[in-house]
RNA sequence: CGGGGCGUAGCGCAGCCUGGUAGCGCACACGGUUCGGGACCGUGGGGUCGAAGGUUCAAAUCCUUUCGCCCCGACCA
């Protein structure tokens, strides 16, 4: 409870609105697009210094500190120890882990006066691993979980959305070290539960979802997603079991391949009748997209199969995707590039993360340019199809359940009807994004729903990736020297504050969950020149302060409307309105920001009532 | 990096096409009237027109270069 934490007492001195730096804006700043960014600027919480780099003003910083304090308390309670690692880190450590070369431009590099290379830490696996390998030698010292709350820097290609995606940002990062897998897994789930407590305490509506491990490496991971319309991530969630995963990661359940002879005719697609029909060429002048073709032929997009040509840097162990025809050799003489023909149902999307894993490439894959498509298919883009192409295509599992579908004809203005899997060579994989309505990959019975979310936390089981690369070893009880097993656990502190706003706002401004509101209560004397009003307001303000409630007294000589607008914009969970009219009857209003509901209570009751609303 | 757009007072914008006194609203200061949902009247202060170069008698305006920022995409613990 923040009302009782030590910080509160220190913050008590200056809570007169007229003395606080809260530069609210009446108009929307031109630079801000998303709600949290706009409201944080308007409420005077943050100001931009450069692209993706912000100053936190008093209100913004108080909220950040509150989130950080909740994180700190829960991490400590979970047995982790707080440390502070350097923001500027030497290149040697990054070279040791291999990430100096791998991390790319996102790593902000700099040189000191002696021309030595450094980076500004985007994360701290290297530094922490270096610390632990020096100081921890024995299994008796393990497990150990160390964390810090620090400013990080990632030179994002395109910073945007204010604190949601800055380049400089505040992150809590924790790293755990273990003697064996069991211990590491136990800590992983310990953190999983800790994160649930943290985001619950922040008053957020969130889901923990299975996630891709990204380039940090490791074996399994969960993301903590705040549910919000403006989220950049898509979450697949089962409506009957507890399965939830990032769409990037969610596996699709392969279709049941039905034996059409045993299925009643009316269960089958109207025009396939269970029979595999012969291929038929159709003229489709200028119809390139799935939607155009489907409309032109009067069928659903799910009757089509999209043929996508991808270019990628081939991994050393990868199987050649296409037979090495002379044509291909001519196209890619360096052998470093591969081309993959990918087939998915017309209404599905290729999941490029799944695809790159299958292709065993770490470089980004991309759709081939028009020229390459033309050379592979002998046709302009929009008319590619698998039939007649040399080599083996990568086909999505969903195709195995399809019959008599439509594909491109590898010829301008031509498509093929009644294509079947017998008509081309393909290997089948799960390589599409899961969609709403799909069967749940876990329980099979439920249906998948898709939600949007904001990633505020991510936990990883790292394994020995860093400990092996950096020789972070310990002596086990069997006398063997072994690499430690690691886990790492991040929380975007600023992003959590922004996500809270995305989830809790209305047309008037922010509606803070009380635990992370910059202040808990605003006392609004509507006319500071009326002695009765001011005395009552001061009395309420003093008793709230005495009770440890973080309260602002709006002592500005402004019209009531102004004070109401500011209070709503800033989002104080509770305001106490002291006006002449009600005061004649000895009453003031206690208003809850979230619902707008206002209770008239006696002056002497106001502080208690406000506190009561806060704890509810 | 590809595509689109914007830099004019603290904020939001007009002026630019068609070159000639730099303007509006909000904010700020002062005076007055107001005072329960961003009041009104009056007065006032504040601008290297992002920067550099060029064209011109004359450039916010036309040309070139450059920097910054925003949006879409690619990318992302």
């Amino acid at each position: 409870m923040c009302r009782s934490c030590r910080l509160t007492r220190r913050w008590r001195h200056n809570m007169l609105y007229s003395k606080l730096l809260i530069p609210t804006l009446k108009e929307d700043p031109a630079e801000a697009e998303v709600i949290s960014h706009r409201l944080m600027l308007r409420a005077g919480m943050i100001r931009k210094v450069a692209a993706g780099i912000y100053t936190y003003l008093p209100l913004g910083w108080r909220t950040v500190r509150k989130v950080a304090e909740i994180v700190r308390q829960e991490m400590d309670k979970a047995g982790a120890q707080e440390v502070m690692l350097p923001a500027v880190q030497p290149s040697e450590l990054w070279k040791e882990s291999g990430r100096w070369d791998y991390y790319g431009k996102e790593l902000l590099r700099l040189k000191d006066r002696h021309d030595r290379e450094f980076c500004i830490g985007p994360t701290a696996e290297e530094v922490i691993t270096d610390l632990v390998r020096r100081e921890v030698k024995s299994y008796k010292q393990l497990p150990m979980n160390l964390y810090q709350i620090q400013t990080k820097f990632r030179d994002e290609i395109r910073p945007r959305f204010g604190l949601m995606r800055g380049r400089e940002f505040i992150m809590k990062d924790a790293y755990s070290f273990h003697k064996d897998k069991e211990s590491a897994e136990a800590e992983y789930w310990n953190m999983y539960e800790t994160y649930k407590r943290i985001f619950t305490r922040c008053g957020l509506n969130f889901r923990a979802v299975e996630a891709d491990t990204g380039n940090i490496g490791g074996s399994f991971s969960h993301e903590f997603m705040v549910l919000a319309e403006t989220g950049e991530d898509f979450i697949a969630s089962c409506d009957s079991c507890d399965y939830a995963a990032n769409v990037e990661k969610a596996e699709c359940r392969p279709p049941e391949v039905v034996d059409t002879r045993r299925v009643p005719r009316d269960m089958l697609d109207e025009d396939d009748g269970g029979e595999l029909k012969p291929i038929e060429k159709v003229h489709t002048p200028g119809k390139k997209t799935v939607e155009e073709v489907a409309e032109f032929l009067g069928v659903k997009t799910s009757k089509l199969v999209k043929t996508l040509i991808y270019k990628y840097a081939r991994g050393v162990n990868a199987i050649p995707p296409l037979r090495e025809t002379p044509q291909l050799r001519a196209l890619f003489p360096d052998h470093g590039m591969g081309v993959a023909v990918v087939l998915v149902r017309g209404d599905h999307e290729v999941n490029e993360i799944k695809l790159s894993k299958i292709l065993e490439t770490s470089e980004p894959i991309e759709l081939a340019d028009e020229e390459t498509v033309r050379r592979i298919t002998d046709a302009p883009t929009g008319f590619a199809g698998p039939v007649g192409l040399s080599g083996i295509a990568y086909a999505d599992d969903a195709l195995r359940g399809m019959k008599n579908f439509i594909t491109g004809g590898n010829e301008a203005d031509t498509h093929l009807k009644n294509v079947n899997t017998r008509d081309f060579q393909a290997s089948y994989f799960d390589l599409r994004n899961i969609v709403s309505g799909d069967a749940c990959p876990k329980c099979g019975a439920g249906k998948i729903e898709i939600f949007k979310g904001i990633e505020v936390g991510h936990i990883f089981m790292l394994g020995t990736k860093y400990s092996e690369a950096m020789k972070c070893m310990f002596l086990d009880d069997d006398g063997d020297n072994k690499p430690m097993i690691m886990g790492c656990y991040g929380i975007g502190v600023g992003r959590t504050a922004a996500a809270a706003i995305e989830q809790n706002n209305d047309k008037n401004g922010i509606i803070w969950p009380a635990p992370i509101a910059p202040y808990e209560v605003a006392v609004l004397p509507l006319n500071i020149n009326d002695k009765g009003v001011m005395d009552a307001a001061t009395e309420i303000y003093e008793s709230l302060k005495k009770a440890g409630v973080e309260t602002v007294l709006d002592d500005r000589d402004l019209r009531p409307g102004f004070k109401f607008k500011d209070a709503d914009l800033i989002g104080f969970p509770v305001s106490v309105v002291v006006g002449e009219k009600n005061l004649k009857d000895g009453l003031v209003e206690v208003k809850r920001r979230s619902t707008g509901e206002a209770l008239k209570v006696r002056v002497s009751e106001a502080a208690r009532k406000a506190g009561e609303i806060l704890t509810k």
Side-chain angles (χ1 to χ4, degrees):
Chain A
M1 185 63 49
C2 296
R3 279 207 305 288
S4 56
C5 73
R6 262 175 303 129
L7 294 170
T8 308
R9 285 199 285 276
R10 229 193 304 155
W11 291 350
R12 230 182 247 167
H13 320 300
N14 188 357
M15 300 197 199
L16 297 180
Y17 198 129
S18 63
K19 302 293 179 208
L20 296 171
L21 178 61
I22 310 177
T24 56
L25 302 171
K26 199 184 284 189
E27 287 168 289
D28 277 337
E31 71 187 57
E33 200 71 8
V34 300
I35 287 172
S36 61
H37 188 195
R38 211 159 61 210
L39 288 176
M40 282 180 131
L41 287 167
R42 283 195 55 204
M45 298 180 70
I46 57 168
R47 286 292 183 263
K48 187 177 68 184
V49 176
I53 299 176
Y54 291 84
T55 290
Y56 299 82
L57 278 64
L59 284 187
W61 186 237
R62 286 179 72 100
T63 285
V64 166
R65 285 175 69 173
K66 287 200 174 179
V67 174
E69 189 53 30
I70 290 172
V71 169
R72 185 173 281 127
Q73 287 173 5
E74 292 299 332
M75 289 300 291
D76 288 348
K77 207 187 289 175
Q81 306 174 62
E82 185 168 2
V83 295
M84 190 62 164
L85 304 168
V88 175
Q89 307 176 0
S91 64
E92 288 78 44
L93 291 178
W94 284 75
K95 284 175 179 159
E96 223 182 315
S97 72
R99 289 206 295 182
W100 186 258
D101 294 322
Y102 186 73
Y103 217 96
K105 287 190 181 163
E106 209 168 291
L107 187 63
L108 182 64
R109 295 152 213 254
L110 47 103
K111 285 183 178 170
D112 70 5
R113 62 168 69 194
H114 304 294
D115 232 28
R116 288 187 290 241
E117 291 177 299
F118 289 84
C119 64
I120 302 192
T123 172
E125 281 81 3
E126 284 78 3
V127 175
I128 197 82
T129 305
D130 180 55
L131 174 73
V132 170
R133 71 177 166 185
R134 290 168 191 274
E135 313 302 336
V136 178
K137 302 288 178 202
S138 161
Y139 74 96
K140 292 176 188 166
Q141 295 167 281
L142 299 175
M144 185 175 284
N145 188 339
L146 301 171
Y147 76 96
Q148 65 166 344
I149 298 174
Q150 240 267 30
T151 293
K152 306 290 192 301
F153 196 95
R154 288 186 195 162
D155 202 355
E156 291 269 349
I157 298 170
R158 182 149 91 89
R160 56 186 131 173
F161 306 151
L163 294 195
M164 295 260 283
R165 202 182 208 10
R167 296 147 91 200
E168 188 178 283
F169 57 100
I170 298 169
M171 175 168 115
K172 187 270 332 190
D173 47 329
Y175 308 88
S176 68
F177 298 84
H178 307 269
K179 67 183 173 75
D180 56 31
K181 234 179 113 204
E182 290 66 41
S183 162
E185 276 187 29
E187 184 62 10
Y188 182 91
W189 293 111
N190 179 28
M191 285 294 109
Y192 182 91
E193 293 303 325
T194 300
Y195 274 36
K196 277 168 93 170
R197 278 196 294 276
I198 288 170
F199 296 119
T200 301
R201 274 188 65 184
C202 288
L204 297 169
N205 182 210
F206 68 96
R207 290 295 284 273
V209 308
E210 293 178 20
D212 186 66
T213 49
N215 72 6
I216 207 164
S219 42
F220 61 100
S221 93
H222 280 84
E223 287 168 337
F224 288 77
M225 297 281 193
V226 169
L227 300 181
E229 263 317 296
T230 41
E232 291 187 89
D233 287 286
F234 290 89
I235 302 161
S237 171
C238 176
D239 66 3
S240 81
C241 76
D242 63 353
Y243 180 80
N246 195 312
V247 163
E248 288 178 349
K249 157 90 178 176
E251 290 159 24
C252 301
R253 182 170 274 264
E256 315 240 332
V257 180
V258 286
D259 183 343
T260 49
R261 285 164 304 189
R262 295 191 189 167
V263 174
R265 275 188 164 255
D266 55 355
M267 293 282 288
L268 296 168
D269 226 316
E270 61 282 353
D271 62 344
D272 73 9
E275 309 276 326
L276 300 190
K277 298 179 187 170
I279 291 185
E280 192 184 317
K281 223 184 222 195
V282 286
H283 189 55
T284 50
K287 308 297 178 194
K288 293 183 155 205
T289 67
V290 167
E291 286 72 25
E292 286 166 357
V293 175
E295 200 197 330
F296 183 73
L297 297 175
V299 297
K300 284 183 280 186
T301 53
S302 56
K303 281 299 284 181
L304 272 66
V305 165
K306 282 192 276 203
T307 305
L308 300 152
I309 317 281
Y310 276 92
K311 272 196 342 198
Y312 67 101
R314 189 184 305 163
V316 261
N317 299 317
I319 322 145
L322 290 166
R323 218 174 294 136
E324 297 279 327
T325 61
Q327 188 189 17
L328 267 181
R329 260 195 289 277
L331 259 176
F332 303 104
D334 59 354
H335 264 240
M337 292 301 286
V339 168
V341 173
V342 177
L343 307 174
V344 293
R345 210 169 83 183
D347 57 336
H348 286 159
E349 272 176 16
V350 173
N351 178 317
E352 297 191 352
I353 291 176
K354 290 179 184 174
L355 181 59
S356 15
K357 280 184 185 156
I358 291 161
L359 296 175
E360 294 186 29
T361 176
S362 58
E363 300 292 309
I365 56 175
E366 55 178 345
L367 280 170
D369 53 281
E370 196 163 343
E371 177 59 22
T372 307
V373 171
R374 195 180 286 271
R375 287 212 236 167
I376 300 274
T377 66
D378 285 329
T381 54
F383 300 98
V387 181
L389 286 190
S390 61
I392 302 167
Y394 289 79
D396 181 65
D397 282 329
L399 266 66
R400 293 192 300 176
M402 295 176 70
K403 286 197 173 57
N404 299 330
F405 44 84
I406 295 159
T407 72
N410 293 329
E411 192 180 321
D413 300 336
T414 303
H415 281 78
L416 301 180
K417 275 171 78 171
N418 303 328
V419 176
N420 286 284
T421 51
R422 65 172 183 213
D423 298 320
F424 52 86
Q425 280 191 302
S427 304
Y428 292 85
F429 301 93
D430 169 20
L431 36 79
R432 68 177 173 99
N433 283 334
I434 201 162
V435 294
S436 173
D438 278 351
C440 170
K442 187 175 174 190
C443 71
K447 291 254 179 290
I448 289 297
E449 296 176 288
I450 307 287
F451 297 99
K452 282 193 207 169
I454 299 162
E455 179 191 350
V456 289
H458 204 158
I459 58 177
F460 296 88
M461 182 70 116
L462 282 181
T464 54
K465 175 173 169 166
Y466 295 92
S467 51
E468 272 178 15
M470 297 182 66
K471 309 251 178 323
C472 181
M473 315 293 278
F474 71 101
L475 203 58
D476 206 349
D477 57 1
D478 58 10
D480 269 1
N481 229 247
K482 299 173 184 173
M484 296 183 198
I485 312 238
M486 294 172 61
C488 87
Y489 321 92
I491 289 181
V493 174
R495 188 185 276 188
T496 299
I501 297 176
E502 290 295 331
Q503 202 174 67
N504 301 286
N505 67 81
D506 64 15
K507 66 177 196 310
N508 293 314
I510 303 169
I511 305 173
W512 284 114
I516 59 172
Y519 289 92
E520 295 167 301
V521 176
V523 178
L524 311 180
L526 296 184
N527 179 4
I528 65 162
N529 301 309
D530 182 299
K531 185 161 185 308
V533 168
M534 213 41 202
D535 285 349
T538 307
E539 180 191 329
I540 294 164
Y541 167 64
E542 291 297 342
S543 46
L544 281 164
K545 274 202 343 186
K546 203 175 292 169
V549 179
E550 296 167 20
T551 307
V552 171
L553 177 64
D554 194 345
D555 60 333
R556 297 173 300 170
D557 190 4
L558 291 173
R559 306 167 65 76
F562 221 101
K563 295 188 178 187
F564 289 135
K565 290 287 185 189
D566 271 343
D568 285 350
L569 176 60
I570 292 164
F572 300 98
V574 175
S575 28
V576 179
V577 181
V578 186
E580 286 161 273
K581 286 175 195 164
N582 284 320
L583 201 56
K584 271 186 202 140
D585 307 321
L587 299 174
V588 296
E589 269 176 16
V590 179
K591 265 167 75 173
R592 190 199 297 257
R593 174 68 178 89
S594 57
T595 58
E597 106 192 73
L599 294 170
K600 285 186 187 173
V601 301
R602 310 201 60 77
V603 173
S604 54
E605 288 294 292
R608 200 184 51 76
K609 192 73 204 169
E612 198 180 299
I613 292 178
L614 275 177
T615 50
K616 262 197 273 187

